[in-house]
Each structure stands twice: as structure tokens, then as C-alpha cells.
Amino acid sequence: MLNKVALVTGASRGLGRSIATHLARSGVGIIGTYFSSKEAADHVARDIADMGGKAVMLRLDIGAPASLPDFEAAVQTVLGESFGRADLDFVVQNAGDGILKSFNDTNGDDLDRIYNVHFKGPYLLNRALVPMIARGGRILNVSSAATRFYLENHGAYAAMKAATEVITLYMAKELGERRVTVNVIAPGAIETDFANGVVRDNPDVNRIFSAATPLGRVGIPDDIGAAVNALLSDGFGWLNGQRIELTGGQSL
């Protein structure tokens, strides 16, 4: 995948960091985004530079769609100035956060926030970036295994991820004429700081999810980063409009 360029949202930590790092090891240039920690983002860029790659990190609030025109312009500038390109090969829509509440406790403000972060923002960003995606490029959206089975306090979050899975099908159909493929991955329980690090830092929660997984453990970020790197490789160019669950078989 030499001489390719990927935009990875939420690349300063967790799954996004692992995805960006794995792609960079394969020779892919990275335009990564961060929301709150420029320091963490700069650390990722330095790590990628140390391995001989190139990464430029841009701030993005995916939950504030009004900021997308400025971000789009920044991406165009970085493509030209840092990569000598006018287009992207890959877009990985990973950025997000969690509002984990029960149905009764989730209010209108919660719904607005989770809708903007997990559906409206990525939808409009994908739409804005399509003209910049090279013919034969790839879009990979990130959903959740919680669309397949019940997880306590995940209702609103899972509903938005289910919407992501549906729009992936429509995008795959409608972007086919440009030879752009669109797929969606659905990770399971992963040891990250998502939801205050509950899977990573709470031994009881970790054991519960491990017991529900045939491979006997929860996932780690590199499980997802390595899988995304493979899915964006030339060998998966025929994959289109698919939901790929990355859970180790959780809750089969």
C-alpha cells in the first residue's frame, strides 16, 4: 500500500491510534484527527515518523458539523503540502464517544449529542470528502457489535451505530460508479479508554466479556488496527457493502 494516503478520524488514542499506526507501517501516509488532546495526537505523529512514516494531525469535532467546511479545506491543504496529492485513498470513520445510559435515563440532549457524533457528523464528513477520494478508494465506517446483541446502557449508542450500518449499504451502492467501496466494521469489547475504560480497567467487566468470547479474552486495539490494515489492502478490493464483525466471536 505504498504511496497511499488515509484519513483516520479519532487517531490520537485507542482504536484510531492503532489503525493509523498499522496503516503507517504498511507505507500509508496518515492524516489523523483528534478532538481534545493535541499532545496525544503529536505523540502519535512522532511515533509514525520514528518508524519512517508520515502523519499530520488535525483537530476535528465530529459532533459539530458546522466546522466541517473548514476541516475539508484543511485536508485539501495538507494533501497538497505534505503528501503532494490532491486526493485520498482511504477514509476510516472511527471518531466517537459514548453516552452509556438506560432508555429511561437518556434525554433529548444526550440523543442530540450521540446523533451528531456517531451519525450526522460522519455522514456529512463522508459526503464532503467523497470528491477528494481517488477512484478505486475505500471508505470504512466503524460500528459496534452492540447492534447485534443487548448490552446494558448501550441502547441509544447502538441505535446510531445501526444507522451507520444501514447508510454503509446505501453508500456502497451509490458510490459504486466511482469504484469506491464502502464497508463497516463492528468491534466488540476492546481494552481502550472508551466509556471511561470500563473493559480495560474493571476486572469484573473484563472477565464477563472474556467468558462470552470463544477465544477466551477481550480484544485489544491492535486486533482492530491489524484487521483494518488487512481490509484496506489490495486483496480486499472486492469487499463492498459488508458488515465485518471483529469480536473474537463474542456472544455467539
Side-chain angles (χ1 to χ4, degrees):
M1 292 192 286
L2 294 176
N3 302 317
K4 304 285 189 181
V5 179
L7 174 71
V8 181
T9 66
S12 64
R13 60 189 179 91
L15 301 187
R17 176 175 183 155
S18 181
I19 290 167
T21 301
H22 277 81
L23 289 172
R25 287 197 187 105
S26 294
V28 178
I30 302 297
I31 300 175
T33 79
Y34 69 94
F35 172 55
S36 59
S37 178
K38 185 177 186 301
E39 181 180 1
D42 289 344
H43 186 72
V44 175
R46 286 194 300 271
D47 284 349
I48 289 174
D50 288 344
M51 67 176 69
K54 179 183 289 188
V56 178
M57 306 297 282
L58 299 174
R59 187 179 184 278
L60 171 66
D61 182 355
I62 194 68
S67 69
L68 292 182
D70 289 340
F71 178 75
E72 179 186 359
V75 171
Q76 290 176 321
T77 298
V78 167
L79 276 170
E81 293 182 353
S82 297
F83 296 99
R85 294 277 302 273
D87 51 18
L88 292 160
D89 298 288
F90 310 130
V91 174
V92 182
Q93 290 276 9
N94 164 77
D97 59 15
I99 299 175
L100 304 186
K101 294 183 178 181
S102 69
F103 170 75
N104 281 330
D105 290 338
T106 302
N107 60 36
D109 289 340
D110 295 332
L111 282 175
D112 286 343
R113 174 64 182 166
I114 206 164
Y115 167 69
N116 284 336
V117 168
H118 288 285
F119 188 72
K120 184 177 182 179
Y123 184 111
L124 293 178
L125 179 56
N126 274 331
R127 183 171 175 267
L129 292 175
V130 162
M132 277 190 277
I133 298 176
R135 186 174 178 84
R138 319 273 186 87
I139 297 174
L140 190 64
N141 296 320
V142 178
S143 179
S144 168
T147 63
R148 178 171 63 83
F149 49 75
Y150 174 84
L151 285 178
E152 186 177 7
N153 295 331
H154 278 65
Y157 168 79
M160 298 308 158
K161 290 302 191 182
T164 296
E165 294 179 7
V166 171
I167 201 61
T168 294
L169 301 179
Y170 283 79
M171 290 171 65
K173 176 66 173 179
E174 295 177 18
L175 298 181
E177 64 182 7
R178 299 187 69 248
R179 300 300 183 263
V180 172
T181 68
V182 189
N183 295 288
V184 58
I185 61 169
I190 309 288
E191 292 183 346
T192 69
D193 59 2
F194 181 79
N196 298 314
V198 62
V199 175
R200 181 190 62 199
D201 300 334
N202 186 314
D204 292 333
V205 171
N206 196 295
R207 277 194 294 271
I208 289 170
F209 283 122
S210 295
T213 304
L215 298 184
R217 64 171 177 85
V218 299
I220 58 175
D222 281 347
D223 292 324
I224 309 304
V228 169
N229 185 51
L231 290 170
L232 294 180
S233 69
D234 292 344
F236 277 92
W238 198 237
L239 185 73
N240 195 23
Q242 301 303 306
R243 176 188 186 273
I244 302 98
E245 189 165 302
L246 302 172
T247 66
Q250 182 184 334
S251 298
L252 290 178

